[in-house]
Amino acid sequence: RALWDQATAQAVESAQVVCSTLGSLHRVVERIEPAEVAVVDEATQATEPAIWGIVPHIRKLVLVGDPEQLGPFSRVPDSPLERSLLERLVHADMPSPMLGVQYRMDARIRRLVHPVYGDAYTDHASVAHQPLSGVRGVMADPLTDAPLLWVDTAGAGFDEQRDATTCSLFNPGEARVVGLCVKRLRELGVPAEQIAVIAPYSAQVALLDRQLDGIEVATVNAFQGREKRVIVVSWVRSNRDGELGFV
């Protein structure tokens, strides 16, 4: 243990950058020299008390995140902990520069979020027009030419179901449609490693994972920040009451 502590101390003292989760920081902070700057990535997913735990050990705090995306998780509905420090500061008109040029998606996909981010959010020329059919080895087809495609299953009888063990929701009919879409994409030449399927419920993820061999399937939270050429989203919810839950 003494040798381990000595090695750890030497590694930390010689490091220019120390990385840690907020959860584990309290266990190691006493062994780390006070830092000039702390950068909190995905700061809008951290509770405010977790952020304040860093402050006594630093000179400058940089919060990086998107208040319009996933916020902190709290088991208590309407808890103040559901609002991040970054979101609170932005809404208090604290100066907060926005990175306004995106390098990730076709302009026609970006327009989906225009009501949220407004005209300040623009596309870099390298991504503004990038249809899937323009990728080498991928054949032209309505499925690969359109950057965005909605498949409406209303009236198809694809009602959601609840898993008796996990109480999570799944939708077998919708899973079959997802399977057909993925099969067609593969036939058109899209590599399996460039396709991801996302669903908001773990039961639907488990169902799709069993059906889609070689395709990555994940929840929204688990996949956040990742990139693939093709994202197929299964929304799962379909019921007579129009209930969407957290979706």
Side-chain angles (χ1 to χ4, degrees):
R1 173 61 63 180
L3 289 172
W4 177 270
D5 290 342
Q6 181 181 352
T8 301
Q10 183 177 350
V12 171
E13 289 170 5
S14 62
Q16 291 182 315
V17 178
V18 176
C19 299
S20 171
T21 63
L22 293 172
S24 60
L25 186 64
H26 73 281
R27 297 198 305 269
V28 299
V29 72
E30 297 302 331
R31 292 181 285 166
I32 301 175
E33 290 294 321
E36 288 294 320
V37 181
V39 179
V40 182
D41 191 24
E42 298 291 3
T44 55
Q45 293 189 43
T47 61
E48 183 163 342
I51 300 291
W52 283 114
I54 311 170
V55 172
H57 309 282
I58 59 174
R59 294 180 183 272
K60 183 175 182 177
L61 178 65
V62 179
L63 303 178
V64 181
D66 183 351
E68 303 297 341
Q69 294 190 23
L70 293 172
F73 173 75
S74 172
R75 293 185 180 276
V76 181
D78 301 320
S79 166
L81 295 179
E82 291 181 339
R83 193 182 196 194
S84 68
L85 174 60
L86 178 55
E87 181 184 2
R88 186 168 67 80
L89 293 175
V90 168
H91 289 169
D93 295 327
M94 180 73 70
S96 51
M98 174 179 167
L99 301 181
V101 181
Q102 65 90 13
Y103 295 81
R104 305 184 75 173
M105 56 190 146
D106 190 288
R108 289 164 289 184
I109 299 177
R110 191 265 310 155
R111 290 190 194 114
L112 282 175
V113 294
H114 181 268
V116 176
Y117 300 104
D119 295 333
Y121 195 42
T122 59
D123 317 293
H124 192 268
S126 63
V127 299
H129 182 70
Q130 49 173 346
L132 187 61
S133 56
V135 177
R136 179 178 296 181
V138 177
M139 292 179 280
D141 184 86
L143 194 58
T144 57
D145 289 337
L148 182 69
L149 181 65
W150 300 97
V151 180
D152 187 359
T153 61
F158 296 166
D159 288 345
E160 65 193 44
Q161 300 180 34
R162 189 173 295 276
D163 185 274
T165 303
T166 65
C167 294
S168 181
L169 297 172
F170 64 100
N171 191 318
E174 197 173 288
R176 290 194 296 273
V177 174
V178 170
L180 291 172
C181 290
V182 171
K183 181 176 182 291
R184 181 59 180 158
L185 286 165
R186 296 287 290 113
E187 292 171 347
L188 291 169
V190 182
E193 62 270 17
Q194 286 300 326
I195 302 173
V197 177
I198 299 175
Y201 290 92
S202 58
Q204 185 76 347
V205 169
L207 175 61
L208 289 165
D209 194 44
R210 292 193 297 269
Q211 296 181 4
L212 301 173
D213 187 34
I215 303 295
E216 183 175 2
V217 185
T219 61
V220 178
N221 298 35
F223 200 84
Q224 185 182 5
R226 301 273 310 284
E227 292 186 12
K228 295 280 189 179
R229 285 281 186 182
V230 181
I231 301 291
V232 182
V233 184
S234 173
W235 294 112
V236 182
R237 299 307 303 263
S238 180
N239 53 71
R240 295 179 181 275
D241 299 323
E243 288 290 335
L244 290 180
F246 66 83
V247 175

